[in-house]
Amino acid sequence: QVQLVESGGGWVQAGGSLRLSCAASGSIFKINAMGWHRQAPGKQRELVAAITSGGSTNYADSVKGRFTISRDNAKNTVYLQMNSLNPEDTAVYYCNADVILGTGGLRVYRYWGQGTQVTVSS
């Protein structure tokens, strides 16, 4: 019922920047929080950053001051600007959206994107 499509991943040298985008579409009444998680090989998925519908943000300590999350509510899109990247940021990045469906009711469902690879070389 809801699809999240990510874009913007790729390869970059250490110190470089990338910008990820994630657009939600489908039977959406409202999107509450949106966010980005990442999973490196052999590690658990971890929260990178999250943003509420009102614009309040939350970041993992490891990315504070380097990453910026933002969203465009009119476009149901969340962004992650990543600066000063280092090899430890290499991972598959997944966006998520907490959605109230347009089919009625107030239950919130969490949807995930398919993931986009970010590789940072030293």
Side-chain angles (χ1 to χ4, degrees):
Q1 290 175 305
V2 175
Q3 298 79 40
L4 273 62
V5 178
E6 301 158 352
S7 60
W11 176 89
V12 66
Q13 286 189 323
S17 298
L18 286 172
R19 188 188 193 214
L20 305 182
S21 300
C22 173
S25 62
S27 181
I28 298 170
F29 173 71
K30 180 184 178 183
I31 300 178
N32 291 340
M34 302 184 81
W36 292 92
H37 290 66
R38 67 187 180 186
Q39 187 166 19
K43 295 186 177 181
Q44 290 187 329
R45 188 176 297 192
E46 63 175 358
L47 174 68
V48 175
I51 184 168
T52 68
S53 58
S56 296
T57 59
N58 181 43
Y59 295 93
D61 288 342
S62 60
V63 307
K64 284 181 181 177
R66 300 188 298 122
F67 291 10
T68 302
I69 189 170
S70 61
R71 64 189 283 175
D72 184 332
N73 290 331
K75 296 181 179 179
N76 289 333
T77 300
V78 63
Y79 307 95
L80 185 68
Q81 178 66 42
M82 304 185 293
N83 299 328
S84 301
L85 285 160
N86 58 62
E88 289 70 40
D89 296 316
T90 295
V92 178
Y93 284 70
Y94 299 89
C95 69
N96 72 273
D98 295 340
V99 178
I100 299 175
L101 297 177
T103 54
L106 296 176
R107 182 175 175 178
V108 179
Y109 295 85
R110 172 161 290 190
Y111 291 90
W112 293 90
Q114 78 284 0
T116 185
Q117 177 70 45
V118 171
T119 303
V120 185
S121 64
S122 57

